[in-house]
Structure formats: C-alpha cells, structure tokens
Amino acid sequence: MIIKQLIYLDALAREKHFRRAAEACNISQPTLSTAIAQLEEELGVLIVERGRQFKGLTKEGEVVVAHARRILAESDLLKQSIAELRQGVSGRLRLGAIPTALPMVAHITGPFSARFPEVSLTVLSLTSQEIQSRIDNFELDVGLTYLDNEPLERVVSKPIYQESYVLLMREDSAMAARSEVTWEEAAKLKLCLLTSDMQNRRIIDGIFRSVGQMPVPTMETNSIFNLCSHAGLLGISSIVSRQLLEFFGIPLGTRALPLVQPDAQRTIGLIVADRQPIAPLARNLLMVAEPVRNAGIPRTLAAQ
C-alpha cells in the first residue's frame, strides 16, 4: 500500500466518477483504476462496486476510505509539522464558514495572513452540518459556525462573536418609524427567511416558537444577499444578522429595527478537529484569532 493509492481512492470517493477523480489527481483514468485494483488485491476486498460507471463503494470500501482519509490527514500533519520546524508556517488552510458569518471572516483571515504570509487560504460558504461533516472527513481544517445552538462533536472551539438579529424592511413600511419590533409582531408579517437547511433559519424558528408563534415565510432563500434585497420589496420583511448589515451597510431605501422580547443572541466561533496534536495551520489560526467585541452592531439602525 502506498500513499498515492489512498490519494486516488479519496479522490474517487469524493468525485464519484472515475474520469473526474483522475483529472483531480492529474493522472490518466487507467492509472487510477489500476492503482485501486492493486489496493483491492493487497487488502483482499472489493472497494468499488464494479460496473462501466462508478456505482458506489462497497461496505468494505467505505471502511477503507475512512481509514485512508485518516492516514492522509496524518501524513499531511507530519509534513506541516516538519515544515513548521524548518521554514516556519506555510501551506494551504481550508476554512468553511456558515453564510451569515461570511462578513466576519476577514476579521480572522486578515490578521492571520499578516502574521503568516506564506499560508494560502481557501474560504468556503457551507452549512453548519457540512462544516461538521467535512471536518470529520478531513476535508476542512477550520470551521466558523454556531457554538451554542445545535450540538458539535469531536471539535475544539473558540468563541469569536455574538450574532444578534434585526428586522429589515422598506423605509415606507407601516412599522418603519418604530424604534424596535418584538418577535411576536414580526411573526405576523410577510417574511423572507433563509431555507431550513441553514442553522440560522432553525434558530429563528426556535425563537418564534419560544413566543408561541410559527410563521410560514412568504419567501425562502439560501443566499444572504437575496435575503437583504427582498426586504426592498413593499410588504416583505427579512430577518438578518446585525453583523451582516455592519459589514455591507443597510440597503438603500430600507430600515433595520432591533428585534426584542427576547433579545436573542447566538455564539459564533472557530472549530477544529479534536485530534492531538492539532494541525499546525489550524493551531496557529486559533492562536491568532481574537474575539470581536460588540461585533456587528450597526451604528445607525432605527436612529437613522
């Protein structure tokens, strides 16, 4: 068994297509197929369901892939640790962030890049469930996600800021002159909310349930940009994070009113796999990242 065989198998499990997996590894398809066949022969099991096209992994294959990813992660950790000793921190760091936290990523990556200019970063927009899954499967180094709402497993975390919520609506709406809006009042409006695969939506639904409400949104989207733009439609209101408006500003022609009763907040922070030792790139990002105090409180909400 050689590392390249495991790399090829990981690519096939990820791409679910022989040609795409070969292209991802910069090799020919016959080379990839031969390497996996050799791995199967050495282990004495079928890893891939046989057919003219990729049909999936066998049960034994799923076990082999899980171990392969662990071995590849350990190999990468070894390389990072040696490189750190010889030439300082370098390499590529993969960070996944929930959509509502994307405006805050620069607060983390900026200081890190200034401290470690030899590190390249890849930032992906992912749901909280995708972040957990990709960290478990060694496909992400660090996640930026909710820490205190849905359970996190097998991770080490560091709080970064508190997310809070406002109601965004057209400035000529009936409630726009108000200084604040209760969650119970907001439930009676025509709302644009994120889709239910987003933890932000599940949080908002939970807050509504806490005040005895269960509104059905008029519009759903998985884009934070659409969430803001639809608040510009007459009769539609969106619930967005204060942090989003602090970064992008309040859209022209709209007003943002704090949501109260309750004054809900959720903690967002960094997570890395709880494996010792922690990979150097992830460890250094945790070290450099500082909590953002009073993050995302727009200077002009109802007072504009």
Side-chain angles (χ1 to χ4, degrees):
M1 186 188 306
I2 59 176
I3 291 292
K4 283 186 178 180
Q5 291 172 321
L6 303 183
I7 292 173
Y8 301 161
L9 176 60
D10 177 48
L12 180 59
R14 186 175 60 252
E15 299 291 341
K16 297 179 172 56
H17 192 279
F18 282 97
R19 178 180 56 78
R20 290 199 300 268
E23 290 174 351
C25 296
N26 295 313
I27 59 173
S28 67
Q29 184 173 328
T31 298
L32 182 137
S33 298
T34 299
I36 291 176
Q38 290 172 343
L39 183 60
E40 289 177 319
E41 182 177 355
E42 182 174 347
L43 295 176
V45 297
L46 285 178
I47 295 174
V48 180
E49 294 283 359
R50 285 299 182 263
R52 297 188 64 179
Q53 296 180 333
F54 180 82
K55 292 185 176 181
L57 300 170
T58 63
K59 290 183 179 180
E60 294 85 354
E62 291 175 356
V63 173
V64 175
V65 168
H67 282 275
R69 285 173 171 163
R70 190 171 296 112
I71 292 168
L72 292 173
E74 289 294 332
S75 174
D76 188 55
L77 174 58
L78 174 61
K79 293 174 184 177
Q80 284 187 35
S81 299
I82 292 174
E84 185 179 29
L85 291 173
R86 289 183 172 180
Q87 60 198 43
V89 180
S90 61
R92 180 173 68 95
L93 185 140
R94 303 159 300 175
L95 187 151
I98 54 174
T100 57
L102 288 173
M104 304 301 292
V105 169
H107 288 279
I108 298 166
T109 57
F112 179 79
S113 293
R115 180 77 174 272
F116 304 110
E118 298 303 315
V119 177
S120 60
L121 294 101
T122 298
V123 178
L124 301 173
S125 176
L126 301 167
T127 67
S128 58
Q129 293 171 341
E130 288 172 331
I131 290 172
Q132 174 79 70
S133 174
R134 293 198 186 196
I135 284 181
D136 286 344
N137 290 325
F138 308 95
E139 297 173 325
L140 272 185
D141 302 301
V142 184
L144 182 62
T145 187
Y146 294 103
L147 301 184
D148 58 359
N149 188 60
E150 296 177 356
L152 291 165
E153 298 178 340
R154 303 171 296 278
V155 297
V156 174
S157 64
K158 180 176 184 177
I160 297 297
Y161 70 96
Q162 296 291 314
E163 180 182 81
S164 53
Y165 311 98
V166 299
L167 186 71
L168 189 66
M169 61 175 57
R170 275 178 52 141
E171 60 185 7
D172 57 355
S173 300
M175 285 187 175
R178 302 267 300 271
S179 61
E180 60 187 26
V181 177
T182 68
W183 285 89
E184 188 172 356
E185 290 172 324
K188 296 175 173 60
L189 302 175
K190 291 183 177 180
L191 295 174
C192 177
L193 301 176
L194 290 176
T195 50
S196 58
D197 61 322
M198 303 284 189
Q199 190 172 169
N200 173 271
R201 168 65 183 280
R202 298 193 292 275
I203 288 171
I204 288 172
D205 285 348
I207 298 171
F208 276 130
R209 285 195 298 271
S210 74
V211 296
Q213 301 295 321
M214 190 80 69
V216 176
T218 300
M219 198 171 300
E220 294 179 306
T221 178
N222 64 357
S223 165
I224 58 175
F225 301 104
N226 284 334
L227 193 66
C228 290
S229 64
H230 278 97
L233 300 177
L234 186 61
I236 300 292
S237 301
S238 296
I239 295 177
V240 303
S241 73
R242 290 174 178 259
Q243 291 72 24
L244 181 65
L245 298 185
E246 174 70 10
F247 189 83
F248 291 110
I250 298 173
L252 186 66
T254 66
R255 291 178 65 83
L257 308 178
L259 281 162
V260 298
Q261 299 180 31
D263 183 12
Q265 293 186 335
R266 294 295 184 273
T267 303
I268 289 180
L270 295 170
I271 62 171
V272 302
D274 187 12
R275 306 183 189 105
Q276 298 300 324
I278 295 176
L281 292 180
R283 169 170 46 79
N284 281 290
L285 184 68
L286 286 183
M287 177 187 69
V288 170
E290 293 290 340
V292 182
R293 304 301 179 188
N294 298 320
I297 301 178
R299 291 179 290 276
T300 54
L301 282 178
Q304 59 185 333

